[in-house]
Amino acid sequence: MRLTLKAARVNSGLEQKEAAEKLGISRDSLRSYEKYKKSPKIDLAIRIAKLYNCSLSDLIFLQDNIA
């Protein structure tokens, strides 16, 4: 199942601020990823998937991939 970054975070029970802190990034950066203004580098994308307890292939990083 494909998940938006925000949906994956919410499903993990994390608030945006908490997720950003655990990832070692700013809340503004996480917000930009969730709004598809920019995409994370692969190492961060892998950490996001691990934090949200899903596979990298489950996550949607670009707005064009939302179906």
Side-chain angles (χ1 to χ4, degrees):
M1 171 172 33
R2 301 291 305 232
L3 295 168
T4 64
L5 291 178
K6 182 176 180 179
R9 176 180 53 77
V10 171
N11 287 345
S12 297
L14 296 170
E15 295 290 328
Q16 198 174 55
K17 180 180 179 185
E18 181 182 11
E21 288 173 357
K22 289 180 182 258
L23 291 166
I25 61 174
S26 71
R27 187 175 180 184
D28 286 339
S29 290
L30 183 56
R31 185 179 299 120
S32 292
Y33 302 141
E34 289 185 357
K35 292 186 179 218
Y36 307 106
K37 292 183 178 180
K38 60 182 183 174
S39 296
K41 293 186 178 183
I42 190 66
D43 61 325
L44 178 56
I46 291 167
R47 291 193 345 250
I48 291 170
K50 286 180 182 178
L51 178 63
Y52 295 169
N53 198 29
C54 61
S55 72
L56 188 57
S57 62
D58 287 336
L59 295 175
I60 299 170
F61 290 102
L62 299 172
Q63 190 168 14
D64 293 343
N65 291 331
I66 299 174

